[in-house]
Amino acid sequence: MPELPEVEALKDFLTENLVGHEIVRVLPVAISVLKTYDPPVTSVEGHEVTAVRRYGKFLDLATADGPHLVTHLARAGWLQWKDRLPSGMPRPGKGPLALRVALETGAGFDLTEAGTQKRLAVYLVQDPQEVPGVARLGPDPLADDFDETRFAALLKDERRQIKGALRDQSLIAGVGNAYSDEILHAAGMSPFKLAAALTPQETARLYEALRTTLTEAVERSRGLAAGRLKAEKKSGLRVHGRTGEPCPVCGDTIREVSFSDSSLQYCPTCQTGGKPLADRRMSRLLK
């Protein structure tokens, strides 16, 4: 799933390639991708893109005197830029293509989604706050005013495990499964530690890991073409998706806890005092 660093990089890429250009065609290939119907998707055609913004994991294409095209790539969605779009009409039901946006230059992008769970979402709205997922977002962790005091205030009454708290978009915007693993590894903290139980010292360590991990990931992605961002994300991860590999910090074997629809990775030596976590739903530290 694209998370804050990749969506931030896509925002920069699209700012460079879209702003100042006119959208001449929007072709929804998979009808399920459209989550709004008023205004119609064609209402953005003929309008110039004036800005590209990020809200958590959402991308917002603002147009002059027109609606906003807001996209959430979900778990398996992606944006594929093309300097020259195919001339023919795409065929519905063939392949992963969900929606195509064409510019007056002949360039544009495709929104694609792999797999059978179709969660890629596109909204046409007059204001991004009309999108429910945008309206409920918590603060952006890379915002200038997101300091340690604000972070501590968010966590002090959270009776959840810290892994789940970091992934809650209404608490902190933009962090998903992969980067929550990376942040907790950098902080040397168990994913199952209760958020409200953190000491001031642990909170400070976690805040520093949050800001540093995300900032470094954004910097690694900055300037890359859209097609290279997935590979950059994977190569930059130290524990997430690396079950069975040696921890780059201590050399211990990276372990995994599997859930019904996701998994997490961690280093026992760095994060849980050498104790492996039980690999079952609602895991606790093994006694």
Side-chain angles (χ1 to χ4, degrees):
M1 176 185 291
E3 299 179 34
L4 185 156
E6 295 78 49
V7 180
E8 179 71 12
L10 282 174
K11 181 207 75 174
D12 291 345
F13 176 84
L14 292 177
T15 296
E16 181 179 346
N17 289 276
L18 284 181
V19 171
H21 293 289
E22 178 187 341
I23 295 176
V24 296
R25 197 87 184 262
V26 179
L27 294 170
V29 179
I31 298 301
S32 62
V33 74
L34 295 177
K35 305 306 179 185
T36 56
Y37 302 95
D38 184 19
V41 68
T42 54
S43 64
V44 77
E45 296 177 353
H47 291 276
E48 178 185 316
V49 179
T50 56
V52 182
R53 302 182 181 95
R54 177 184 62 79
Y55 300 97
K57 302 177 192 176
F58 289 84
L59 272 174
D60 168 29
L61 274 59
T63 63
D65 303 319
H68 294 251
L69 180 70
V70 180
T71 300
H72 191 286
L73 294 170
R75 176 172 292 186
W78 196 244
L79 184 149
Q80 297 182 356
W81 178 263
K82 298 181 185 297
D83 292 327
R84 178 63 57 178
L85 288 169
S87 57
M89 292 288 290
R91 296 177 62 187
K94 299 294 183 180
L97 179 61
L99 183 134
R100 174 168 290 167
V101 175
L103 304 179
E104 89 285 358
T105 61
F109 64 84
D110 288 340
L111 294 178
T112 62
E113 186 172 25
T116 58
Q117 294 185 352
K118 301 304 181 182
R119 298 177 180 175
L120 178 68
V122 174
Y123 306 81
L124 263 292
V125 291
Q126 295 301 330
D127 185 333
Q129 293 300 318
E130 296 174 29
V131 177
V134 173
R136 72 178 181 88
L137 287 174
D140 192 291
L142 294 186
D144 292 340
D145 62 352
F146 189 80
D147 57 16
E148 186 181 326
T149 300
R150 190 176 186 187
F151 180 60
L154 291 174
L155 297 183
K156 68 182 181 66
D157 295 323
E158 282 294 327
R159 300 293 174 181
R160 291 180 289 175
Q161 295 167 343
I162 190 61
K163 166 80 174 179
L166 288 175
R167 293 184 63 188
D168 184 349
Q169 300 303 293
S170 64
L171 190 72
I172 300 171
V175 178
N177 194 33
Y179 285 106
S180 57
D181 282 353
E182 297 298 298
I183 291 162
L184 290 167
H185 179 258
M189 189 171 296
S190 169
F192 296 134
K193 190 173 184 66
L194 292 181
L198 297 182
T199 66
Q201 293 77 18
E202 289 172 329
T203 300
R205 194 168 78 241
L206 184 60
Y207 172 77
E208 178 63 25
L210 171 72
R211 296 274 288 199
T212 300
T213 299
L214 294 178
T215 299
E216 289 179 351
V218 168
E219 289 304 314
R220 288 195 306 268
S221 300
R222 198 178 299 280
L224 293 181
R228 295 176 56 196
L229 289 172
K230 282 186 178 181
E232 170 53 42
K233 176 180 181 178
K234 185 175 181 180
S235 67
L237 298 175
R238 298 190 298 176
V239 292
H240 184 79
R242 299 193 179 279
T243 303
E245 297 181 22
C247 170
V249 174
C250 71
D252 194 2
T253 301
I254 294 169
R255 301 199 182 211
E256 176 176 308
V257 175
S258 297
F259 301 101
S260 60
D261 61 349
S262 66
S263 63
L264 65 84
Q265 286 78 43
Y266 70 99
C267 170
T269 295
C270 291
Q271 296 176 251
T272 60
K275 298 179 181 179
L277 296 170
D279 188 10
R280 64 176 184 271
R281 195 168 181 82
M282 301 302 292
S283 298
R284 300 293 185 184
L285 281 173
L286 289 173
K287 301 299 184 182

